[in-house]
Amino acid sequence: MNVCEYRQIALGPGPGSGAASQAQPPASGKQQQQRRRRKWESFAGKNRFFCDGRLISGRQSGAFYLTLGLIVATSGLFFGFDCPYLTENLTVAIPIIAGLLFVFVLSTLLHTTFTDPGILPRATPDEAANLEKQIDNSGGSGYRPPPRTKEVLINGQTVKLKYCFSCKMFRPPRTSHCSLCDNCVERFDHHCPWVGNCVGKRNYRFFYMFLLSLSFLTAFIFACVITHLALRSQNVGLLNTLQETPARYPFICYCNVLLVYSAH
């Protein structure tokens, strides 16, 4: 990529402007606004951008907010109702461990949601026209059997590349086109609605750590809630404890998280 593509071109004085044009202020507000459009501003996919293009996510993010709400609600009820009793009767390490797991789960979730999964840029109009000419010339006839493929040699092995009609390019190996985001994603695994983004090369490790840490957090909360209920039910019974103690609220939310987690 040439450096001059991102460099502003300073316009010199036009003919007949004379010395008066050289005495003008260096730049006005309108001239500063007439800058080159950033690539994310003319992005052709179905993604949403935040923080001046530094964060990216899928357009359908309703399930992501549901996931975030369930995690925050379950952990909040656990810290509000179970942790004080367990800290007083068992150990202060319980809220510390739960807090560290909670922060790590939120961090990996947000990294998965707002990280570029590995979107490959689409071909420019000139590149697309050049590829179309190559395909037309290689076929020898006007008929192009879909899907169009191309064989390349990688590490001594022949690999067949498929042509993407939306992105106008030959997809690299292990690259697929996401129909929800309308992008070709490198090492595409799947589009996860619970995180609101595709899972690919650049955010797969965050997605894996999110699932792993969420498993530890839910197991830890479940064990602590059961311990809380067991300690309180030694004298009055389990059913009466569920009706009287506020520990039932984290238990119910935890079951909802399990349902969402198993649905994935």
Side-chain angles (χ1 to χ4, degrees):
M1 183 176 297
N2 297 328
V3 180
C4 62
E5 183 179 352
Y6 296 97
R7 187 168 54 197
Q8 288 281 9
I9 300 176
L11 297 178
S17 57
S21 61
Q22 298 179 358
Q24 292 179 355
S28 61
K30 294 183 179 180
Q31 290 177 350
Q32 292 180 354
Q33 292 178 359
Q34 293 177 355
R35 59 179 178 83
R36 292 181 60 93
R37 294 190 63 185
R38 301 283 298 273
K39 289 188 176 181
W40 67 269
E41 294 176 336
S42 57
F43 188 73
K46 298 179 181 179
N47 296 85
R48 294 190 300 177
F49 294 87
F50 308 93
C51 298
D52 198 19
R54 294 176 176 85
L55 304 179
I56 182 175
S57 69
R59 191 170 297 274
Q60 300 176 354
S61 56
F64 160 71
Y65 293 111
L66 175 62
T67 303
L68 183 63
L70 286 176
I71 294 175
V72 172
T74 303
S75 301
L77 291 174
F78 172 73
F79 287 121
F81 295 114
D82 292 284
C83 281
Y85 180 85
L86 296 175
T87 302
E88 181 180 355
N89 292 273
L90 292 180
T91 176
V92 72
I94 291 178
I96 296 177
I97 297 175
L100 292 176
L101 287 174
F102 174 72
V103 171
F104 191 78
V105 167
L106 287 186
S107 176
T108 53
L109 173 61
L110 296 178
H111 274 82
T112 305
T113 302
F114 297 108
T115 300
D116 179 9
I119 298 175
L120 296 179
R122 303 194 178 198
T124 62
D126 295 337
E127 293 173 347
N130 187 24
L131 284 176
E132 292 290 342
K133 291 180 181 179
Q134 293 180 3
I135 295 175
D136 291 339
N137 295 332
S138 61
S141 62
Y143 175 71
R144 298 190 297 266
R148 292 176 284 185
T149 59
K150 176 182 179 181
E151 292 184 353
V152 296
L153 194 64
I154 301 178
N155 295 331
Q157 296 183 355
T158 303
V159 179
K160 183 178 293 185
L161 305 181
K162 292 185 179 181
Y163 184 80
C164 180
F165 291 88
S166 299
C167 300
K168 304 296 183 182
M169 68 174 184
F170 286 99
R171 295 196 295 257
R174 298 181 59 186
T175 300
S176 298
H177 189 88
C178 178
S179 58
L180 296 177
C181 296
D182 196 20
N183 294 310
C184 280
V185 180
E186 191 174 6
R187 296 183 186 177
F188 179 77
D189 189 83
H190 69 291
H191 182 94
C192 180
W194 302 111
V195 301
N197 199 0
C198 296
V199 178
K201 177 181 179 180
R202 298 179 183 175
N203 66 345
Y204 185 83
R205 62 183 182 275
F206 298 125
F207 179 74
Y208 177 77
M209 295 303 298
F210 165 68
L211 295 181
L212 188 63
S213 59
L214 182 61
S215 301
F216 282 115
L217 178 62
T218 51
F220 184 80
I221 291 179
F222 181 76
C224 291
V225 170
I226 293 299
T227 303
H228 185 188
L229 294 176
L231 293 176
R232 284 183 176 270
S233 62
Q234 291 179 355
N235 298 325
V236 297
L238 180 61
L239 295 179
N240 293 330
T241 303
L242 287 175
Q243 295 176 357
E244 297 175 359
T245 181
R248 66 181 183 271
Y249 299 115
F251 183 78
I252 295 173
C253 287
Y254 173 80
C255 295
N256 293 330
V257 172
L258 280 183
L259 291 177
V260 174
Y261 185 75
S262 59
H264 181 273

